[in-house]
Amino acid sequence: MKLASPWEPRLTPGDDPPFERLAAALADDIAAGLIGAGDRLPAHRDLAWRLGIGVGTVTKAYAKLEQRGLVRSLHGRGMFVAGTSAMATGSIDLGINAPPQMLSDRLLQATLSTLAKRLDAETFGAYSHPAGRPEHRRLMARWLARWGVDAGPDRIVLTHGAQHALAIAMAMACPPGTHLLTEALTYPGGLLVARQAGLETIGLAMDREGLTPGALAEALGADHGRHRVLYVTPTLHNPTTATMGAERRQDVVRLCRAHDVIVIEDDVYGIFAPAGVRPLACLAPERTFHVTSLSKALSPGLRMGALVVPSDRVAEAEARLQASSTMASALQAEIMGMWLTDGTAEAVASSIRADAVRRSAFAADRLPKQAVLRINDGFHAWLPMPAEAADRFVARAALRGVALMPARAAMADPSAPDGGVRISLGAPAMAQLDQALGILADLFLPERPVLV
């Protein structure tokens, strides 16, 4: 006896021919995992009857899916889901927000060769202070000062990347029962830390500059009696690319001071800050935990982060570092020290900024105007659209071989109606980026903002 198909028949909405809408509905549900590899599709006549369409329409839709490798016909048995799409092999990854690759093999080899001569076994084999060696903290303070962070080395602790720094900051600032206020759309890694810590996350309204003071004021005024902490990304917001101006930052700090709210400032994209705009950690050092790292500024392989803490919280931060990792990696810290000393870090960061501008302009030119692309000369772009449309866009891109971040990963409230799609521009080679953007452009129709 033939097994019944688990698929609930439907057509996608729109004015496309019925066979296109049927093929699109099946492709979306295969990508979403609603129909698994090996599952049977409905028989031609049964599906045509249930949807009120012709048998020939079903045949054309199945043929289109078979051409794309999504389904396969078994003689005498029917049509079945073939398995995963092009995403499984040969996928172009626009989902990971990595900087353009600016380190050459030669530079890396020279660094490791020099390090082998400089690092002795006694130094490598010794424990260092949990917050990092004093010379490395001084170098990090000098590096951060280039991007507007005015903090002495005594307020800086070195971590295993920004994610580690963020976890420590949330652990220090957010006791059980805390309401974590953040942008309605925010960094997925921050949401992950918050949810694993059992924090209640409240997303606040945004505009072109990011978090709005009005939304923050309303949330603070309506939440008396609960401990509140603000987690915010003022520069090159991930995922929307928004950057706060100087006045907006002052407004945010004024509200946080008035309501005695701690601030966790995610500044991993600080190298993209406009000239003259100061980080929140400089405007309110007594209440701001400043999170940053070298991974976005130089290379993801350099897992060196920094957490700038209020002066009265340094001892607590060091204790949490001691409990979570004992100390930062000696090898990574030595590489950081070399690059911050010999000019490599500044040269690489400058190249990354220049290449990000080039990639941003390329994406703006490659995608159609109805995409309403938001871009800010960093290495990601943002396509605002309804959350359901974003889900479909990501699924369809995957079927065409382009991997994107899951549409709801950045939503503080995954059930909210408004969302979008982040397009990470930094990691692929330009030829791959060109190919991927061409595929995404094909998902738009001339008469509508996005194909849904």
Side-chain angles (χ1 to χ4, degrees):
M1 183 178 69
K2 293 182 179 179
L3 294 176
S5 172
W7 188 58
E8 186 63 33
R10 66 183 183 88
L11 301 176
T12 59
D15 300 323
D16 294 327
F19 84 92
E20 292 276 12
R21 294 162 57 203
L22 174 56
L26 275 163
D28 287 347
D29 290 350
I30 290 171
L34 299 179
I35 326 172
D39 282 345
R40 178 187 297 277
L41 300 187
H44 289 59
R45 292 187 181 279
D46 178 59
L47 183 55
W49 179 79
R50 294 176 69 181
L51 293 176
I53 56 179
V55 174
T57 297
V58 177
T59 301
K60 288 177 68 175
Y62 280 5
K64 183 172 184 176
L65 293 171
E66 195 165 15
Q67 286 175 352
R68 293 167 60 182
L70 298 179
V71 302
R72 59 194 177 98
S73 176
L74 297 181
H75 182 68
R77 297 181 58 196
M79 191 72 72
F80 295 82
V81 177
T84 57
S85 68
M87 189 174 176
T89 58
S91 174
I92 302 174
D93 194 346
L94 301 188
I96 297 178
N97 215 24
Q101 178 57 266
M102 291 298 165
L103 295 178
S104 66
D105 292 343
R106 186 173 182 178
L107 172 60
L108 188 57
Q109 290 164 5
T111 296
L112 296 176
S113 177
T114 302
L115 185 60
K117 299 172 185 175
R118 179 181 300 182
L119 184 63
D120 59 85
E122 183 175 355
T123 302
F124 178 75
Y127 284 105
S128 66
H129 192 279
R133 297 184 186 278
E135 63 269 27
H136 293 146
R137 295 166 75 181
R138 284 194 294 270
L139 286 170
M140 180 61 81
R142 188 178 2 170
W143 169 258
L144 295 181
R146 298 188 66 85
W147 317 112
V149 183
D150 182 18
D154 57 320
R155 289 179 51 215
I156 296 174
V157 297
L158 301 181
T159 64
H160 293 283
Q163 192 73 11
H164 184 205
L166 184 56
I168 291 173
M170 285 196 183
M172 292 177 64
C174 303
T178 294
H179 278 179
L180 185 69
L181 309 179
T182 188
E183 302 98 337
L185 296 154
T186 191
Y187 169 51
L191 291 174
L192 181 63
V193 172
R195 287 163 181 163
Q196 288 187 343
L199 303 178
E200 184 175 348
T201 305
I202 301 173
L204 306 180
M206 305 174 66
D207 62 15
R208 291 280 184 163
E209 281 193 59
L211 175 69
T212 67
L216 179 59
E218 183 179 357
L220 294 177
D223 198 20
H224 296 295
R226 296 296 297 268
H227 182 69
R228 284 84 50 90
V229 171
L230 175 65
Y231 168 56
V232 64
T233 305
T235 297
L236 198 63
H237 176 263
N238 182 3
T240 69
T241 79
T243 291
M244 290 185 181
E247 184 177 349
R248 175 68 58 89
R249 295 177 191 229
Q250 291 283 4
D251 288 342
V252 168
V253 164
R254 175 180 52 79
L255 285 166
C256 289
R257 279 202 172 113
H259 292 272
D260 194 22
V261 169
I262 295 294
V263 178
I264 300 175
E265 178 182 29
D266 194 330
D267 198 43
V268 295
Y269 301 105
I271 66 170
F272 296 101
V277 177
R278 303 175 70 197
L280 302 182
C282 294
L283 302 177
E286 82 285 356
R287 65 184 59 254
T288 302
F289 291 83
H290 182 90
V291 173
T292 188
S293 81
L294 298 179
S295 298
K296 303 296 187 186
L298 302 181
S299 172
L302 186 58
R303 305 306 302 165
M304 288 301 302
L307 178 62
V308 182
V309 301
S311 55
D312 62 343
R313 307 293 295 271
V314 173
E316 183 185 353
E318 292 175 352
R320 290 189 179 275
L321 276 165
Q322 179 81 49
S324 65
S325 66
T326 305
M327 64 180 190
S329 163
L331 284 173
Q332 296 273 342
E334 288 296 329
I335 293 173
M336 176 194 74
M338 287 178 59
W339 287 355
L340 293 182
T341 303
D342 65 12
T344 296
E346 186 175 350
V348 170
S350 178
S351 296
I352 285 176
R353 291 198 307 274
D355 197 60
V357 170
R358 180 169 69 105
R359 288 169 182 261
S360 295
F362 184 71
D365 181 66
R366 197 73 174 83
L367 292 175
K369 294 192 184 313
Q370 66 264 34
V372 197
L373 189 70
R374 292 185 186 174
I375 206 155
N376 201 6
D377 289 343
F379 41 82
H380 67 276
W382 176 247
L383 287 172
M385 63 181 72
E388 289 188 4
D391 288 336
R392 295 188 185 281
F393 190 93
V394 170
R396 291 192 171 185
L399 291 170
R400 298 282 299 275
V402 177
L404 296 167
M405 182 181 76
R408 297 179 190 267
M411 297 173 65
D413 177 5
S415 66
D418 296 325
V421 176
R422 187 188 73 186
I423 304 175
S424 299
L425 307 171
M430 286 302 293
Q432 280 191 315
L433 181 60
D434 183 23
Q435 180 184 353
L437 291 175
I439 290 171
L440 298 185
D442 286 344
L443 299 182
F444 290 86
L445 291 175
E447 302 301 324
R448 286 183 284 164
V450 63
L451 179 63
V452 294

